[in-house]
Amino acid sequence: MTTTIGFIGLGLIGGSMAKAIRKAHPDYHIMAYNRTKEVTQQAQADGIIDTVCEDEDFQFAKCDFIFLCTPVEQNTKYLTFLKSIIGPDAIISDVGSVKGPIHREIAKLGLTSSFIGGHPMAGSEKTGYSNSKAHMLENAYYILTPGEDASLDKISRYVELITSINAIPLVLTYEEHDYITAGISHLPHIIAATLVNLVKHLDNEEEHMKMIAAGGFKDITRIASSSPVMWQQICEENQENISRVLDEYIRMLIQARYDVDHHEANAIYQMFESSRDYRDSFDILPKGPLKKRYELYCDIEDEAGGIAAIATILAMDGISIKNIGIIHNREFEQGVLRIEFYDALSLSNGVCLLRKRNYIVYER
């Protein structure tokens, strides 16, 4: 019997998932609704979806999986509708970066046996179906947050689907998910935004700080360029966890100020040593947050020989690679493959060479 997949919302993530599923499972029946009908019509013309649906379409009753890929408030509206039509074996999921609000709504509606939250750790600063890619989720972590009554069979089916599109499933409770992302994703965006605003506030009329800002400052504030609307919503939706990690971060800042004011040399050294050692333990990442890095991100599909081909192209031109690896958390990174070089000239030559070979390359 043919598996049927439904999408409500076909933007960057929904479109990428639909394309990935179509690539991995050409026989699956895929249907989708999008507020802008031209999008679903284009997806149908591309051969990605089979059926264009209307708002609150009863055809979704046929689905084995239904992915909600719209803003949280719209997802809630569709949950009420879906409750009345889905079968007992259907799985409803979402792709939001905060899970608490939708899980609480699921509990209110009595859908905990049908819902498994999802958060693919991939994305781009670009939006919309036109920027979606079949390989965007390849090798990216895909966090699953099952409802409290979701059966092992449903969780296993979802894990199999995610694995089949070459993403990496990771099952957590929604509480764990929101706490973890508050620390490793949401707080860094707040820090980057406030640090940029601090420099803007402290700078003189000639903007000398802005003029000479480079290296480490640009590296640790790059994510401040993200969507203000999206991050406003995330801060509102994950308020409790963000506040909790902010409290701990503020405590550390106060301690750092005390140590600096009182010339606590050992404590200051320990702060930098501890952060260095822990940061150096991260996989394939460069040492030291303020060190100049010469790196690019290359958008490639995960296929046999893909990485080897790029390494060979660079080696044949005498360009040495310092580090190379797949990015598993790509929510705020461009590209799939990260390549680090030893110097600026090697980076520049590598970018030119790969672009000549029609690779899509992003510089840091």
Side-chain angles (χ1 to χ4, degrees):
M1 188 173 180
T2 302
T3 298
T4 301
I5 311 287
F7 287 90
I8 297 176
L10 208 61
L12 179 71
I13 298 300
S16 295
M17 289 187 64
K19 289 178 179 179
I21 292 170
R22 173 59 74 212
K23 180 180 177 181
H25 305 283
D27 58 322
Y28 280 13
H29 187 90
I30 303 177
M31 59 179 65
Y33 164 75
N34 195 78
R35 185 175 59 180
T36 305
K37 202 162 187 176
E38 289 78 10
V39 169
T40 43
Q41 290 172 341
Q42 183 60 54
Q44 188 176 45
D46 293 341
I48 302 303
I49 69 172
D50 302 289
T51 304
V52 173
C53 294
E54 301 296 331
D55 189 15
E56 297 192 358
D57 199 316
F58 282 88
Q59 292 186 88
F60 284 116
K62 305 172 187 176
C63 291
D64 299 285
F65 291 86
I66 301 174
F67 291 96
L68 300 170
C69 306
T70 65
V72 173
E73 61 274 12
Q74 293 182 39
N75 284 345
T76 300
K77 166 195 167 186
Y78 289 113
L79 285 173
T80 304
F81 166 69
L82 292 173
K83 179 182 178 180
S84 67
I85 66 166
I86 61 169
D89 296 326
I91 296 171
I92 302 174
S93 189
D94 74 323
V95 295
S97 58
V98 180
K99 313 313 301 181
I102 195 164
H103 271 274
R104 287 189 284 271
E105 189 63 30
I106 285 293
K108 289 179 185 177
L109 293 171
L111 283 169
T112 53
S113 64
S114 300
F115 185 78
I116 301 175
H119 181 194
M121 305 295 286
S124 168
E125 84 288 356
K126 298 177 181 178
T127 60
Y129 173 81
S130 61
N131 292 300
S132 63
K133 300 171 184 175
H135 62 275
M136 182 172 286
L137 276 64
E138 287 183 354
N139 294 303
Y141 289 117
Y142 196 116
I143 301 176
L144 307 182
T145 58
E148 60 183 16
D149 298 316
S151 66
L152 182 59
D153 173 68
K154 288 185 177 181
I155 297 172
S156 298
R157 284 166 50 205
Y158 200 166
V159 167
E160 288 174 5
L161 178 66
I162 297 308
T163 303
S164 74
I165 61 173
N166 295 321
I168 305 170
L170 177 63
V171 180
L172 301 172
T173 66
Y174 78 84
E175 294 93 344
E176 288 177 310
H177 170 277
D178 286 359
Y179 178 62
I180 289 169
T181 54
I184 57 93
S185 177
H186 306 166
L187 178 64
H189 277 80
I190 292 173
I191 293 171
T194 53
L195 183 55
V196 170
N197 286 333
L198 173 67
V199 169
K200 178 183 177 182
H201 175 71
L202 296 178
D203 211 353
N204 56 25
E205 291 183 2
E206 290 77 19
E207 295 190 324
H208 287 153
M209 285 188 175
K210 179 180 179 180
M211 185 184 305
I212 65 175
F217 183 83
K218 286 187 176 180
D219 281 346
I220 63 178
T221 60
R222 177 179 53 84
I223 55 177
S225 296
S226 300
S227 165
V229 173
M230 180 178 74
W231 284 100
Q232 175 197 25
Q233 292 172 348
I234 286 174
C235 287
E236 291 175 351
E237 293 164 4
N238 202 23
Q239 174 271 322
E240 185 175 338
N241 285 298
I242 292 174
S243 181
R244 180 179 170 188
V245 297
L246 267 173
D247 280 344
E248 185 62 20
Y249 183 64
I250 291 168
R251 184 195 66 77
M252 287 186 170
L253 286 177
I254 292 172
Q255 183 64 54
R257 184 180 66 181
Y258 177 89
D259 294 338
V260 170
D261 287 348
H262 293 82
H263 303 281
E264 297 285 347
N266 185 60
I268 295 170
Y269 177 86
Q270 290 295 328
M271 176 182 70
F272 286 111
E273 181 186 47
S274 174
S275 65
R276 179 202 64 190
D277 292 346
Y278 186 64
R279 181 63 170 80
D280 286 356
S281 71
F282 291 6
D283 289 341
I284 73 161
L285 293 176
K287 300 182 183 341
L290 300 182
K291 186 178 179 180
K292 175 62 179 174
R293 295 178 290 185
Y294 307 100
E295 60 190 16
L296 61 79
Y297 289 83
C298 186
D299 207 359
I300 65 168
E301 296 191 36
D302 184 12
E303 55 188 13
I307 296 177
I310 287 179
T312 301
I313 289 169
L314 295 172
M316 288 177 63
D317 210 64
I319 300 174
S320 297
I321 297 173
K322 183 177 182 181
N323 217 329
I324 187 168
I326 293 290
I327 299 298
H328 296 303
N329 182 342
R330 299 202 303 277
E331 276 197 305
F332 312 107
E333 297 286 6
Q334 297 168 314
V336 175
L337 185 69
R338 175 187 166 275
I339 307 173
E340 184 180 3
F341 301 89
Y342 286 95
D343 52 55
L345 180 60
S346 296
L347 170 61
S348 177
N349 290 340
V351 169
C352 292
L353 187 61
L354 292 176
R355 283 177 176 164
K356 284 181 181 178
R357 297 294 188 102
N358 296 319
Y359 286 99
I360 299 173
V361 176
Y362 306 93
E363 294 183 70
R364 274 284 292 273

